[in-house]
Amino acid sequence: MKAVSTTFSVATQGNCDIIDITSKVTQFVNKEKIKHGILTVFIPGSTCGITTIEYESGLISDLKEVEEKIVPENKNYKHNLRWSDGNGHSHLRASLMGASLTIPVVSGELTLGTWQQIVICDFDNRPRNRDIVLQIIGE
């Protein structure tokens, strides 16, 4: 049994910026030569989330629209009243999406569907540099 971790950074624009990180994650799995195991992808921070989608312009637009409907940006959130930073919506969106993703590794490959990519969604109201932590456990 082997456990390996790494971290890489991504520059984001904020405001529901959706970035495909599948190739970076795949490179890590290939480099570590784990044949069977579990990969965890984690994004530290309370205003960014991670999920899988078909990374194409229509769906990216749809996801942003859904986020705005579920948690509108221009609302008087108590967080904004307390901290005056205007990103209460960002925290709520990130909480709903989640900060981690677990993907099985089978025969050295991520078990993603044909049209399934790993994406981070930066909900904050400003550009950020986001760290992404990858950890794989297996043999």
Side-chain angles (χ1 to χ4, degrees):
M1 191 67 71
K2 176 180 172 182
V4 184
S5 301
T6 193
T7 302
F8 67 93
S9 296
V10 174
T12 70
Q13 296 303 307
N15 298 305
C16 206
D17 193 12
I18 300 172
I19 299 172
D20 182 358
I21 62 167
T22 310
S23 64
K24 285 277 216 186
V25 175
T26 301
Q27 287 172 9
F28 172 68
V29 171
N30 291 342
K31 177 182 165 233
E32 296 307 325
K33 297 181 174 30
I34 299 280
K35 292 298 176 198
H36 300 283
I38 296 174
L39 172 75
T40 299
V41 186
F42 179 78
I43 189 150
S46 61
T47 58
C48 195
I50 188 161
T51 191
T52 62
I53 63 168
E54 180 180 350
Y55 191 76
E56 60 86 19
S57 61
L59 192 53
I60 291 167
S61 180
D62 292 340
L63 182 56
K64 291 178 181 186
E65 187 177 311
V66 165
E67 290 290 342
E68 181 60 27
K69 284 180 182 176
I70 293 171
V71 184
E73 181 177 353
N74 297 318
K75 189 175 173 196
N76 291 324
Y77 295 102
K78 290 177 178 62
H79 174 83
N80 295 346
L81 297 173
R82 181 176 192 141
W83 298 104
S84 301
D85 56 5
N87 70 351
H89 70 288
S90 308
H91 291 279
L92 294 170
R93 290 176 184 183
S95 294
L96 291 174
M97 183 167 284
S100 68
L101 187 63
T102 303
I103 305 166
V105 176
V106 178
S107 299
E109 302 284 330
L110 294 170
T111 56
L112 295 172
T114 302
W115 306 111
Q116 189 176 31
Q117 288 83 42
I118 305 164
V119 297
I120 63 165
C121 302
D122 191 340
F123 300 117
D124 213 343
N125 56 2
R126 62 187 174 94
R128 303 284 302 261
N129 283 317
R130 297 294 189 170
D131 289 334
I132 294 119
V133 178
L134 306 177
Q135 184 173 70
I136 190 166
I137 299 171
E139 53 190 22

